[in-house]
């Protein structure tokens, strides 16, 4: 039997409950306070473009400068949006690698609230709050009220989920679908803590219901719908959610051997609901990107093991810090996390809490093992891709294992240990948002805003649409700015042709954005990078400054963010005599 808070010291019980509720409240408050505190990162602005239904209208920059504000209109849903706009959302996805559900949610949200940072992140924050509430329900059903509060507090303050709760991508919804499907599976397999299970309901039927049989039938129908719907939603949110569906099938086999086929049938119905998209959309994505799995190619060997360590290190310890810290830091943090999970498991086993341990193990560790096995067999590295965010659905199960250990093994130290863990999580999460810069393109916009009516050319050695669109989003639309964005090896000749052309003399200012990682067509060696940089300096000297003397920038600044694709050197040049 699981237990709630210790009852031998009422003040401790009260203080712990208050502590956990405060942790949940602070976690939600941090989401609200940071809705507009950071820029969209590379993938977020792509979500914005696709969800607006205007990805089909995006035409990447070429050798001729484009008016930057022409891209600004692509971030908003057209005023006359109708069925065709929704169809354009799907058309914009056929060259992508993701299913449509999260983009459709964002599309309809943008129709109501617009495309600002606060508005769009409000949807994700709302979904993450729903995941925290669902975590409480899952924990309470399995471990009692105390377990529900611990699990909800851990998820609310977890720095990794906090970061993705303000990221307009599909990761926050994945956690919600994982929790709801696990909760439904627990109900259908009668895995509750006794006080809230169907067996107890059968023994003590509510006087408000017509009969125990009617209550059980209605309950099974409701949770069947939840299971089917959350499985379908998860698969339509991210393809790798299939690892989680496999895990739920394993869960049914382990805990409901007599009626496992009934639970697997419900999972199958959820999968079948995704077939229309698989038939129309996934097939086109595979045709448009025949090497779709190439981005997951693995070097093999120890990489699979380090992927596991780095993923758990980011999920349970570092949060989004893993995107800017050396890989070995994530590996060390992951090793510590693995040791902690193992210690929790061993402790629960020795205490005889094997049922709770097995549930948490299946929901937290088995999906990771499924993904790892598939990676090893196919020689891919989906486990470690994107600092582990593609497997974010394992996070609730890992936290459930920790919550189970806290509840059963901590005893009178429970408030201290739980409070220390929440404090650690909040320190890491708050530090992420206060100590790490996320204002690269704001700083470029500030340079442009200093002379808004002065004709300015922005030359950028990256034509990656994430860079182009982020620059367009944050540049004031009422400024006189044109953009020349080219691959690194093509920028110098294109810039020379523009500056020596008819409109070249019109530009009084030139901003050179030198990307440390252009994403597309990046130069491979440092020698190549320096060669292209000297070519650009020569073009500026002869075609912009018109001087034999070196053309010196009037302002130079290093811009940095939380990823290597955020690193830029910005140089502002002013034409002599203007």
């Amino acid at each position: 039997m699981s237990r709630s808070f210790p009852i031998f010291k009422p003040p401790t019980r009260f203080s712990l409950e208050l502590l956990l509720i405060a942790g949940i409240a602070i976690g939600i408050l941090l989401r609200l306070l940071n809705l507009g505190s950071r820029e969209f990162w590379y993938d977020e602005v792509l979500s914005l473009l696709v969800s607006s239904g205007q990805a089909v209208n995006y035409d990447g920059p070429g050798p001729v400068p484009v008016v930057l504000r022409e891209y600004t209109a692509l971030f908003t849903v057209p005023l006359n949006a109708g069925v065709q706009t929704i169809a354009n959302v799907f058309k914009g996805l056929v060259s992508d690698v993701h299913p449509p559900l999260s983009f459709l949610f964002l599309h309809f949200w943008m129709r109501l609230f617009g495309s600002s940072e606060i508005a769009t992140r409000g949807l994700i924050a709302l979904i993450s709050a729903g995941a925290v509430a669902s975590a409480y329900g899952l924990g309470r059903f399995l471990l009692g009220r105390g377990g529900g509060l611990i699990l909800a507090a851990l998820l609310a303050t977890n720095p990794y989920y906090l970061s993705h709760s303000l990221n307009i991508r599909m990761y926050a919804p994945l956690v919600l679908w994982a929790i709801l499907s696990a909760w439904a599976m627990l109900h259908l397999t009668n895995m509750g803590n006794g006080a809230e299970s169907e067996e107890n309901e059968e023994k003590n039927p509510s006087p408000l219901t017509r009969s125990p049989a009617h209550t059980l039938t209605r309950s099974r129908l409701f949770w069947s719908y939840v299971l089917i719907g959350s499985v379908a939603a998860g698969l339509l949110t991210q393809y790798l959610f299939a690892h989680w569906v496999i895990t739920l099938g394993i869960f049914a086999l382990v805990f409901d051997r007599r009626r496992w086929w009934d639970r697997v049938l419900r999972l199958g119905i959820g999968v079948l609901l995704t077939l229309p998209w698989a038939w129309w959309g996934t097939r086109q994505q595979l045709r448009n990107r025949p090497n779709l799995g190439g981005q997951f190619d693995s070097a093999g060997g120890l990489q699979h093991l380090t992927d596991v360590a780095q993923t758990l290190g980011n999920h349970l310890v570092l949060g989004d810090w893993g995107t800017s810290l050396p890989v070995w830091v994530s590996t060390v943090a992951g090793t510590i996390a693995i040791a902690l999970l193992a210690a929790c498991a061993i402790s629960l086993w020795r205490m005889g809490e094997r049922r709770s341990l097995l549930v948490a193990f299946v929901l937290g560790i088995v999906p990771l093992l499924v993904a790892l096995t598939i990676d090893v067999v196919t020689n891919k590295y989906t486990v470690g891709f994107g600092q582990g965010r593609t497997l974010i659905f394992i996070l609730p199960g890992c936290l459930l294992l920790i919550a189970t250990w806290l509840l059963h093994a901590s005893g009178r130290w429970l408030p201290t240990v739980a409070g220390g863990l929440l404090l650690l999580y909040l320190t890491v999460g708050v530090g992420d948002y206060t100590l790490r810069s996320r204002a690269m393109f704001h700083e470029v916009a500030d340079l442009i805003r200093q002379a808004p009516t002065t004709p300015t050319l922005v030359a950028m050695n990256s034509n990656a649409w994430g860079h182009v669109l982020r620059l367009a989003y944050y540049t004031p639309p009422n400024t006189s700015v044109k953009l020349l964005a080219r691959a690194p090896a093509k920028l110098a000749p294109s810039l020379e042709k523009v500056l020596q052309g008819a409109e070249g003399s019109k530009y009084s200012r030139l901003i050179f954005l030198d990307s440390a990682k252009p994403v597309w067509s990046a130069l491979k060696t440092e020698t190549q990078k320096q060669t292209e940089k000297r070519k650009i300096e020569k073009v500026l000297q002869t075609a912009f400054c018109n001087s034999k003397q070196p053309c010196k920038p009037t302002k130079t600044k290093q811009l940095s963010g939380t990823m290597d694709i955020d690193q830029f050197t910005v140089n502002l040049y002013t034409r002599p005599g203007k």
Side-chain angles (χ1 to χ4, degrees):
M1 290 291 291
S2 62
R3 59 186 178 86
S4 292
F5 298 121
I7 58 175
F8 53 89
K9 294 178 68 176
T12 301
R13 179 184 186 278
F14 172 77
S15 63
L16 176 58
E17 183 169 349
L18 189 62
L19 171 70
L20 296 172
I21 292 173
I24 295 170
I26 292 172
I28 299 300
L29 182 62
L30 285 174
R31 287 159 170 79
L32 298 177
L33 292 177
N34 287 287
L35 287 175
S37 67
R38 62 174 183 171
E39 286 184 0
F40 289 130
W41 70 287
Y42 191 96
D43 285 356
E44 282 183 291
V45 80
L46 302 187
S47 292
L48 206 62
L49 178 68
V50 172
S51 299
S52 70
Q54 301 211 60
V56 294
N57 298 322
Y58 175 78
D59 188 12
V64 178
V66 295
V67 178
L68 197 54
R69 63 173 172 265
E70 290 181 0
Y71 288 123
T72 306
L74 300 179
F75 299 116
T76 57
V77 179
L79 293 176
N80 58 345
V83 176
Q84 184 57 48
T85 304
I86 299 175
N88 286 341
V89 175
F90 285 99
K91 290 179 182 177
L93 280 169
V94 296
S95 296
D96 199 70
V97 296
H98 298 292
L101 190 61
S102 61
F103 300 96
L104 288 174
F105 280 169
L106 184 57
H107 170 80
F108 289 108
W109 185 268
M110 288 168 60
R111 285 194 181 199
L112 295 174
F113 302 106
S115 58
S116 70
E117 292 169 341
I118 292 177
T120 51
R121 288 195 173 123
L123 170 62
I124 306 302
L126 182 63
I127 290 174
S128 73
V132 171
S134 299
Y136 170 74
L138 171 64
R140 178 173 180 172
F141 183 77
L142 185 63
L143 303 170
R145 175 177 168 80
L149 285 174
I150 293 173
L151 181 59
L154 289 176
L155 185 64
T157 57
N158 176 266
Y160 196 74
Y161 194 54
L162 174 62
S163 173
H164 287 292
S165 295
L166 296 170
N167 183 342
I168 57 169
R169 295 292 283 170
M170 63 290 303
Y171 307 114
L174 280 175
V175 172
L176 175 62
W177 306 136
I179 293 173
L180 287 176
S181 57
W183 192 5
M185 183 62 79
L186 286 169
H187 268 279
L188 293 172
T189 52
N190 291 328
M191 292 298 296
N193 66 359
E196 298 170 65
S197 68
E198 289 181 358
E199 293 176 357
N200 185 73
E201 197 170 340
E202 188 175 26
K203 295 176 182 177
N204 303 287
S206 168
L208 299 179
T209 57
R210 284 176 286 177
S211 68
H214 172 74
T215 301
L216 291 175
T217 300
R218 186 172 59 182
S219 175
R220 288 194 184 100
L221 279 175
F222 173 77
W223 289 108
S224 294
Y225 292 144
V226 172
L227 179 62
I228 292 169
S230 54
V231 165
L235 291 172
L236 289 173
T237 300
Q238 189 199 58
Y239 291 120
L240 291 181
F241 194 79
H243 297 334
W244 178 255
V245 178
I246 294 172
T247 300
L248 293 177
I250 294 173
F251 187 96
L253 287 171
V254 171
F255 292 105
D256 197 8
R257 294 179 183 177
R258 289 183 301 174
R259 296 181 57 84
W260 64 267
W261 57 268
D262 183 67
R263 317 309 177 208
V264 172
L265 178 62
R266 287 165 169 79
L267 295 176
I269 294 173
V271 174
L272 288 175
L273 291 177
T274 69
L275 288 183
W277 166 255
W279 179 257
W280 182 85
T282 307
R283 290 170 67 227
Q284 292 194 66
Q285 288 178 334
L286 291 171
R287 282 199 300 267
N288 291 332
R289 302 184 68 163
N291 192 31
L292 196 61
Q295 61 184 324
F296 299 125
D297 285 345
S298 171
L302 293 176
Q303 181 177 348
H304 293 303
L305 298 179
T306 56
D307 282 350
V308 171
Q310 290 163 23
T311 295
L312 289 174
N314 292 331
H315 281 208
L316 298 176
V317 182
L318 298 178
D320 196 54
W321 284 94
T323 61
S324 56
L325 292 173
V327 171
W328 67 267
V329 176
S330 296
T331 304
V332 170
T335 304
I336 294 172
I338 291 171
L340 262 165
L341 292 176
C344 290
I346 293 171
S347 176
L348 288 170
W349 181 270
R350 289 177 174 175
M351 292 177 61
E353 297 291 343
R354 297 176 183 179
R355 172 178 166 277
S356 298
L357 168 62
L358 189 57
V359 171
F361 181 85
V362 171
L363 295 179
I365 307 303
V366 167
L368 180 61
L369 296 178
V370 169
L372 177 62
T373 301
I374 294 174
D375 275 4
V376 171
V377 172
T378 60
N379 200 32
K380 302 295 183 183
Y381 73 111
T382 60
V383 171
F385 187 79
Q387 290 75 45
R389 58 180 178 266
T390 54
L391 293 186
I392 196 171
F393 47 79
I394 72 171
L395 180 60
C398 292
L399 295 178
L400 178 62
L401 178 56
I402 296 172
T404 304
W405 179 83
L406 285 172
L407 195 66
H408 289 293
S410 297
R412 62 192 181 91
W413 293 101
L414 177 55
T416 303
V417 177
L421 184 55
L422 295 183
L423 181 61
L424 172 65
Y425 273 1
L426 288 172
T427 301
V428 174
V430 171
D432 177 19
Y433 279 92
T434 55
L435 301 178
R436 303 171 78 200
S437 172
R438 289 178 169 93
M440 300 76 64
F441 289 98
H442 273 101
E443 296 193 51
V444 179
D446 288 340
L447 280 179
I448 296 172
R449 199 178 285 110
Q450 290 173 5
T453 59
T454 301
T456 302
L457 177 66
V458 176
M460 182 166 63
N461 63 344
S462 170
N463 60 346
W465 58 346
H467 287 156
V468 171
L469 291 171
R470 289 168 75 189
L471 177 63
Y473 185 90
Y474 291 104
T475 299
N478 58 346
T479 53
S480 181
V481 182
K482 284 192 174 183
L483 172 67
L484 177 68
R486 303 289 284 159
K490 296 181 179 180
L491 180 59
S494 296
L495 181 61
E496 183 177 26
K497 187 174 182 179
V498 169
L499 293 177
Q500 292 180 345
E503 68 171 278
S505 60
K506 297 178 181 179
Y507 299 116
S508 299
R509 300 200 312 162
L510 188 146
I511 297 174
F512 173 40
L513 285 179
D514 185 8
S515 172
K517 188 172 182 180
V519 184
W520 300 346
S521 305
L523 299 174
K524 295 181 179 180
T525 67
E526 187 61 31
T527 301
Q528 291 175 321
K529 294 177 183 178
Q530 292 302 320
T531 299
E532 292 303 322
K533 186 176 181 179
R534 285 193 293 270
K535 288 180 181 179
I536 292 171
E537 291 173 349
K538 184 177 180 180
V539 169
L540 291 173
Q541 180 178 328
T542 58
F544 186 76
C545 294
N546 298 316
S547 171
K548 294 182 180 180
Q549 300 297 322
C551 189
K552 299 288 187 180
T554 57
K555 186 175 291 186
T556 299
K557 192 168 187 180
Q558 299 293 326
L559 306 181
S560 62
T562 60
M563 302 176 117
D564 52 1
I565 58 175
D566 297 330
Q567 315 305 313
F568 285 87
T569 301
V570 56
N571 292 298
L572 172 63
Y573 296 87
T574 303
R575 191 184 291 273
K578 293 192 178 182

